[in-house]
Amino acid sequence: MHRTALFGLAAIAACGQAAEARAPLGAPSMAPSPSAMHAPMASLRVYGPSQRDVWQGRGDARQSVDLCVVSTTGRFRLRITSQSGGALINQKNRVHYTLSFRDGAGAVHDVDVSDQALILIEGSAPSAADCTHGPNSTLSLRAAQADLLKGPAGEYFDRLRLVADPL
């Protein structure tokens, strides 16, 4: 039996906490306090457009997106929020998947998403890292062949929101 499924992972980047408070429009702005100027900061950037891959019915389905995560402390917490509640979905079916995050220090963090809407991963990046030289980490999705064969062929999708917070 030959089955195909179109699956996709959209990653939306969101920067971490800003170190300075911003005044509302029309209000006078104030310089940040000395302590705010040295407050830890983290940010992330998603490289490349989100794309969909076609799974041909054999083996596990995989998709990756390159990221750059920067933290002034060298450590961060990546908050990943699943729009679908932690599964690849189509109109009637859900497919479980796992995420694998390779951080800027090369450590790999594997997470079985299994209906978790919020996933927290702690990682490292060299404190001197910046995103001017391209990606320094990767977020990968894997759906097991056995899980993909349980449902009918079709389009399965999840949208992830990513936020980096300094540790």
Side-chain angles (χ1 to χ4, degrees):
M1 175 183 218
H2 183 69
R3 304 177 113 183
T4 61
L6 181 67
F7 71 98
L9 168 69
I12 301 171
C15 292
Q17 301 291 327
E20 64 181 68
R22 298 182 186 242
L25 290 176
S29 63
M30 299 174 58
S33 69
S35 62
M37 291 174 67
H38 299 290
M41 293 179 57
S43 63
L44 69 90
R45 180 175 178 186
V46 176
Y47 287 85
S50 299
Q51 60 186 13
R52 295 180 178 176
D53 288 335
V54 176
W55 177 68
Q56 297 297 326
R58 292 193 181 101
D60 297 343
R62 298 176 189 276
Q63 186 172 17
S64 296
V65 63
D66 290 329
L67 307 172
C68 179
V69 185
V70 176
S71 174
T72 57
T73 64
R75 294 195 30 80
F76 58 87
R77 176 176 295 121
L78 185 62
R79 285 186 286 144
I80 304 169
T81 306
S82 165
Q83 181 179 1
S84 71
L88 294 172
I89 60 169
N90 72 4
Q91 291 180 342
K92 297 179 183 179
N93 298 293
R94 300 173 64 81
V95 174
H96 293 277
Y97 65 89
T98 59
L99 290 176
S100 182
F101 177 68
R102 183 189 49 78
D103 68 20
V108 177
H109 311 271
D110 293 321
V111 178
D112 180 10
V113 176
S114 297
D115 296 322
Q116 296 179 63
L118 176 64
I119 297 98
L120 301 173
I121 300 173
E122 292 185 8
S124 299
S127 57
D130 62 28
C131 295
T132 59
H133 296 93
N136 65 4
S137 55
T138 304
L139 181 65
S140 301
L141 174 145
R142 183 183 67 80
Q145 176 179 328
D147 290 335
L148 290 166
L149 290 173
K150 289 178 185 176
E155 293 185 14
Y156 290 82
F157 187 78
D158 193 3
R159 182 178 309 259
L160 303 177
R161 181 171 187 253
L162 311 174
V163 177
D165 296 312
L167 289 178

